[in-house]
Amino acid sequence: MSNKRKVAILGATGAVGQRFIQLLQGHPWFEIEVLAASERSAGKKYGEACNWVMETNLPPEIAEMPVANADVASVEKAGDVDIVFSSLPGDLAGPVEAEFAALYPVFSKASAHRMEKDVPLVIPEINPDHTDLIKIQQKQRGWKGFITTDPNCSTIQLAISLKPLMQFGLNQIIVNTMQALSGAGYPGVASLDIIDNVVPFISGEEEKMEQESLKILGSFNGKSVQNADFQISASCNRVQVKDGHLESVFVKLNEDPSLDEIEAAFTKFKGEPQKLKLPSAPVNPIVVRHEKNRPQPRFDRDTGCGMSVVVGRIRKDPIMSFKYICLGHNTVRGAAGGGILSAELYVAKGLA
Ligand code: NAP
């Protein structure tokens, strides 16, 4: 691509915003033009406004960039942008993202618009055709730009692992999560609440997993998305892990494939990003491990540069058809990496 798209990141100082900055370094299609956050940060240099917690150093040129307020006038004053990535808090994202979407393509990590009927909820490997919803959205709302959303972090990895199982007829899913601290943003959960502890509640998370999965794995008939018709029940826990959500998944299928057939379905699974060779696409969206005690967050979260979902412990279940463990990097595939891959898909399809 000769001319790189210039991007603004809203919520640039947070856990996901920092990951966007890290992953966009040297990106072949996108370059960072504007960083925006709250009025607490606006007007400061990024290096002063942000407590950088990524594993790699804060790039010096990013540290020197001014932080803008996360509104259209301030962002436009700070630079000319083509695309907006939003990692704003969910309660704030609704009106702010809508203001941007009237003018720009907005790729949102926030929950505010995910379940609106004319808003795509996209995982590029699963439902690339849902991107066409933006044409309906633009017509209905009279927008020049659009909003497209990524699912919740724990839902993304679950949905990726469920997609290849749909050929066997998904009937019922039960999922129990062990979710990393970075999923709660920065500074997130207070240390005294989580050291020596597991917190068996994450506000709104179970509902998101149960509702979003059905929309993502649903079918688009050119006008609207029909939800997938399996049943799903989620139970979510916060654990003392920095990055990487682990999930125990119990699946009841309509058919009775062997464990080898199930494993083959996981390993063979590829999607549109792999066909199109999108820059952030992992070679294998799902990687299966055979050790009896893997995947583990510390060892496996960076598989496929954090963009692959790692599945292991595939085994029969006495009540359901079978069960497995899956792991995903919540701020890479579950957040910034997923958002960038989605933007790459829209660009490759000529939609952004
Ligand atoms: P975070 O670490 O708390 O960061 C929040 C960001 O939003 C910061 O840049 C903050 O700026 C900015 N912000 C807060 N209040 C604002 C305001 N009134 N106006 C403008 N900007 C404001 O949260 P996060 O974990 O990055 O999550 C961001 C979004 O992504 C959330 O909607 C979250 O649900 C979603 N998400 C997170 C993950 C994950 O793994 N963390 C995964 C998927 C989706 P200041 O520094 O100036 O306060």
Side-chain angles (χ1 to χ4, degrees), residues 11 13-16 37-38 40-41 87-90 92 109 182-183 185-186 330 334:
T13 50
V16 177
S38 77
R40 291 181 291 278
S41 305
S87 53
L88 292 171
L92 182 89
K109 283 308 314 167
S182 60
Y186 185 83
N330 54 293

Side-chain angles (χ1 to χ4, degrees), residues 186-209:
Y186 185 83
V189 186
S191 56
L192 282 180
D193 288 338
I194 196 71
I195 290 172
D196 187 29
N197 209 6
V198 171
V199 180
F201 174 69
I202 303 176
S203 182
E205 195 80 356
E206 293 169 358
E207 294 80 357
K208 286 178 194 164
M209 290 192 83

Side-chain angles (χ1 to χ4, degrees), residues 106-121:
V106 176
F107 294 85
S108 171
K109 283 308 314 167
S111 57
H113 298 282
R114 282 183 197 145
M115 297 309 290
E116 289 168 13
K117 283 195 186 320
D118 59 351
V119 173
L121 182 59

Side-chain angles (χ1 to χ4, degrees), residues 19 153 157 177-183 237-247 296-298 300-302 326-332:
R19 191 65 80 186
C153 45
Q157 64 184 76
T177 70
M178 290 150 270
Q179 298 184 219
L181 291 170
S182 60
N237 305 281
R238 186 75 66 197
V239 298
Q240 290 188 53
V241 166
K242 181 174 159 282
D243 294 312
H245 294 346
L246 199 67
E247 298 177 357
Q296 294 182 18
R298 187 144 47 93
D300 299 313
R301 61 190 167 212
D302 293 325
C326 81
L327 171 76
H329 195 308
N330 54 293
T331 64
V332 182

Side-chain angles (χ1 to χ4, degrees), residues 86-166:
S86 168
S87 53
L88 292 171
D91 52 352
L92 182 89
V96 177
E97 289 177 353
E99 187 198 358
F100 278 94
L103 300 166
Y104 302 100
V106 176
F107 294 85
S108 171
K109 283 308 314 167
S111 57
H113 298 282
R114 282 183 197 145
M115 297 309 290
E116 289 168 13
K117 283 195 186 320
D118 59 351
V119 173
L121 182 59
V122 172
I123 298 177
E125 280 91 344
I126 296 185
N127 57 355
D129 56 320
H130 291 201
T131 55
D132 285 343
L133 265 177
I134 62 158
K135 293 173 187 159
I136 295 166
Q137 182 192 112
Q138 286 175 317
K139 205 169 161 199
Q140 280 178 355
R141 305 195 190 203
W143 285 348
K144 240 174 84 194
F146 58 83
I147 295 179
T148 184
T149 57
D150 285 357
N152 164 264
C153 45
S154 50
T155 309
I156 291 184
Q157 64 184 76
L158 175 69
I160 290 175
S161 73
L162 292 178
K163 175 69 177 174
L165 302 175
M166 288 183 85

